[in-house]
Amino acid sequence: MKFNMKYLTKKRIINILITIILCIAIPRIENYTYEFKDIMYRDFRNFGTELENLNEKILKKLVFKDTTMEEEFINSKIAHSFINNNSIISRHSSDYDGFEEMYDYKINGTIENILYDGKITDSEEKYLSLLYSYNNELIKEHNNLLDKYNASNTMFNKRSLKIYEEFSSKAESLLNTSKYRFLQDYVGEYKKEDIEEAKRYCEEIFAKVVKNKDLKYSKDLSADPYMYIYETKVQVDRVIEDNEDYVEYNVEFYNRTGSMNIEAVAYSVLESTNLIDKEKVIKKLDNKAKKIVSKFSNDLINYERKVIYDGKNIECIKYSYIEEDKGIYDEMKGIELVLEIDGLVSSFSIVYPNNKELVTPKLSKDDILEKIDEKAEIKDIFPIRNVENEIEYEVHLEYKDDMYAAVFDGNEGNLKYYGKEIRNYNQNKE
């Protein structure tokens, strides 16, 4: 028998290389796996602690009738990390939608809206009380699982999948019992007439902004129980051609402030082949914007216009309008509009009209300026009524070549905001 020594040598070299690679890779893979499971353990323990923290905050609201806001009622990062882990490793993650959604994004918005008006109604108290009880059930299950599997860090690594699944299965089952179903069904202090009025208003505004498009509605329960969500129902059972206009809209109405937003959530834009004359394109869109806005008011100030480019070509233009009354800029009478290059309305925002009287702030501009150290150079100050019907002053100041905005309550003088987000209502008025 004849051996091919060249082949054997080559094969041996390959085997040696594979062995070396495996010797390097396997410990790294094992180390990565251990680190991942270590994160799983930490996130599971943190979630249990966060449930206890949440209950402390709820109890304070129930026992002392305390309606002060918290920055967050449940830590969103901790909740999201736990839910994300659960979705990654669980073989039945789709079975836990109600439990996951509630802790991942619904709770903070729901409790914030309960406390917003400074009182807790019977149905709101029922929600908080049931949430407290439900959290307690989960805390017990959480501790039982740690005890049951002697879940120290090392032991948990071997049982993480089982522990996550047992916990989530119990949480979802409890949530769907007759006792706790209310937590999923709760949609805030809705009144039938409010829903009907919101629907009527959204239909009316949508018809003025978007032509030849029927708006059919479906009520979707979002993270915010005080937001009504509607959408265009466009049935697409074919491929959209390149030369065909196509758009789907969502309409949101925020019941607390009366803010309404129209968003094109899916659309195709017919690109212009003649974008050399940019001024002509801008003028065309400007005229369309004026035509749309004039349907709502002739007293709006176009204080900002942003031309947005995609490379060298114009992609869209964003228009911002506000009304001025008694020297006060009124955000309850403002409009935001975005027009795409072909004139398609991709975004439109307005606030529901109200008859609330615009009241002059108790404090003067000089009263507010006294609160600012002379080291800062004051560039501008003007009063605003925000969408919450609150009067406030915005001060623009420069400090060491940096521009900042400071927002003060117009009646009490308390500092409400300080940062680089600036409202330029008093500049570039057209």
Side-chain angles (χ1 to χ4, degrees):
M1 181 179 283
K2 222 173 180 183
F3 291 96
N4 189 330
M5 297 303 294
K6 186 177 180 182
Y7 169 77
L8 285 174
T9 304
K10 193 173 184 181
K11 186 176 180 181
R12 188 174 182 185
I13 291 172
I14 291 171
N15 287 338
I16 291 171
L17 288 173
I18 291 173
T19 302
I20 292 171
I21 290 170
L22 289 174
C23 287
I24 295 172
I26 288 175
R28 290 189 178 182
I29 292 171
E30 288 178 347
N31 188 50
Y32 174 78
T33 302
Y34 179 81
E35 287 179 2
F36 176 72
K37 289 185 174 180
D38 193 48
I39 291 171
M40 302 288 290
Y41 171 75
R42 181 201 65 198
D43 289 345
F44 187 80
R45 291 299 298 263
N46 285 349
F47 185 68
T49 301
E50 196 56 32
L51 289 176
E52 293 177 356
N53 294 338
L54 174 59
N55 264 8
E56 285 184 10
K57 294 172 185 175
I58 292 174
L59 191 61
K60 182 182 177 184
K61 308 304 176 189
L62 290 171
V63 173
F64 300 102
K65 304 300 179 186
D66 174 45
T67 56
T68 55
M69 292 291 187
E70 307 278 348
E71 185 175 344
E72 282 188 315
F73 293 92
I74 185 169
N75 187 303
S76 55
K77 289 183 179 179
I78 291 175
H80 181 72
S81 293
F82 171 81
I83 299 301
N84 189 50
N85 291 346
N86 197 50
S87 299
I88 291 172
I89 69 169
S90 177
R91 292 166 293 184
H92 308 288
S93 60
S94 60
D95 295 337
Y96 312 139
D97 287 347
F99 154 68
E100 290 183 342
E101 287 177 4
M102 191 168 75
Y103 283 98
D104 203 9
Y105 63 84
K106 282 189 175 182
I107 284 176
N108 280 324
T110 302
I111 301 180
E112 180 184 334
N113 281 298
I114 284 174
L115 304 176
Y116 170 73
D117 59 359
K119 59 183 179 180
I120 300 175
T121 66
D122 291 343
S123 68
E124 291 170 341
E125 184 172 346
K126 179 181 178 182
Y127 174 85
L128 292 173
S129 180
L130 275 178
L131 181 58
Y132 181 90
S133 297
Y134 179 67
N135 288 338
N136 260 348
E137 299 266 18
L138 297 192
I139 291 167
K140 289 176 186 176
E141 178 65 12
H142 181 273
N143 293 335
N144 287 339
L145 286 171
L146 291 180
D147 292 339
K148 176 180 177 181
Y149 293 105
N150 188 24
S152 63
N153 201 334
T154 305
M155 292 299 295
F156 188 89
N157 289 340
K158 299 176 182 179
R159 308 266 191 181
S160 57
L161 174 61
K162 190 171 184 63
I163 293 174
Y164 265 77
E165 283 203 343
E166 283 194 30
F167 180 80
S168 299
S169 179
K170 179 67 176 290
E172 190 71 23
S173 296
L174 274 172
L175 192 58
N176 286 297
T177 60
S178 57
K179 180 178 180 180
Y180 294 116
R181 185 72 199 180
F182 179 78
L183 294 175
Q184 285 195 87
D185 296 338
Y186 181 74
V187 292
E189 294 289 304
Y190 278 153
K191 294 178 182 177
K192 187 176 180 181
E193 53 268 32
D194 291 341
I195 298 173
E196 291 302 317
E197 174 60 18
K199 180 180 177 182
R200 182 203 63 75
Y201 177 68
C202 288
E203 286 175 327
E204 178 187 321
I205 300 301
F206 188 80
K208 289 181 179 180
V209 175
V210 181
K211 288 184 177 180
N212 304 321
K213 199 145 197 78
D214 293 331
L215 188 62
K216 297 180 181 179
Y217 294 89
S218 64
K219 173 124 182 350
D220 183 18
L221 303 181
S222 69
D224 189 338
Y226 286 81
M227 181 179 285
Y228 310 97
I229 299 179
Y230 310 100
E231 58 190 354
T232 55
K233 295 293 186 181
V234 181
Q235 181 130 12
V236 180
D237 52 8
R238 56 186 173 75
V239 176
I240 303 299
E241 302 295 335
D242 290 340
N243 63 346
E244 182 180 0
D245 190 9
Y246 168 73
V247 60
E248 288 185 34
Y249 286 100
N250 272 8
V251 178
E252 299 177 344
F253 184 81
Y254 194 25
N255 194 37
R256 199 169 83 182
T257 61
S259 302
M260 177 194 169
N261 300 305
I262 298 172
E263 292 290 338
V265 293
Y267 59 93
S268 62
V269 173
L270 305 182
E271 293 185 6
S272 172
T273 56
N274 182 21
L275 297 183
I276 298 174
D277 190 351
K278 291 184 173 62
E279 291 304 315
K280 186 176 180 180
V281 174
I282 292 172
K283 185 177 180 180
K284 181 181 176 181
L285 294 181
D286 285 352
N287 288 335
K288 178 161 186 177
K290 288 177 182 177
K291 188 175 179 180
I292 291 173
V293 171
S294 67
K295 296 177 182 179
F296 302 95
S297 173
N298 292 316
D299 299 321
L300 288 163
I301 299 167
N302 180 206
Y303 67 90
E304 188 172 56
R305 184 189 68 182
K306 286 184 180 179
V307 182
I308 299 170
Y309 289 87
D310 180 10
K312 294 182 179 180
N313 295 330
I314 297 172
E315 181 179 350
C316 63
I317 302 181
K318 179 180 178 181
Y319 301 88
S320 300
Y321 300 84
I322 200 164
E323 202 167 293
E324 185 181 1
D325 186 11
K326 300 178 184 178
I328 300 173
Y329 292 100
D330 193 353
E331 290 188 335
M332 299 185 91
K333 296 178 181 177
I335 288 178
E336 298 277 347
L337 170 67
V338 178
L339 294 179
E340 299 298 315
I341 184 65
D342 64 348
L344 182 145
V345 178
S346 59
S347 180
F348 180 88
S349 300
I350 195 170
V351 177
Y352 186 83
N354 67 84
N355 298 319
K356 296 176 181 177
E357 183 183 358
L358 202 160
V359 181
T360 304
K362 294 178 181 179
L363 300 179
S364 67
K365 291 181 181 180
D366 289 338
D367 293 331
I368 297 299
L369 293 178
E370 286 179 1
K371 297 176 176 293
I372 301 173
D373 193 281
E374 59 184 15
K375 294 187 184 70
E377 182 182 354
I378 306 301
K379 294 294 185 179
D380 204 356
I381 177 172
F382 48 87
I384 299 168
R385 175 165 75 166
N386 63 28
V387 293
E388 308 278 359
N389 196 36
E390 299 166 340
I391 301 295
E392 54 194 23
Y393 281 99
E394 175 149 326
V395 181
H396 296 169
L397 52 92
E398 185 175 350
Y399 183 75
K400 294 186 177 179
D401 298 325
D402 289 322
M403 285 293 297
Y404 294 92
V407 179
F408 295 88
D409 178 87
N411 295 320
E412 302 295 332
N414 300 323
L415 181 65
K416 299 174 66 177
Y417 170 79
Y418 178 72
K420 293 199 172 184
E421 289 187 20
I422 295 175
R423 293 176 286 189
N424 292 315
Y425 298 158
N426 215 24
Q427 302 172 32
N428 305 320
K429 294 187 290 187
E430 295 182 4

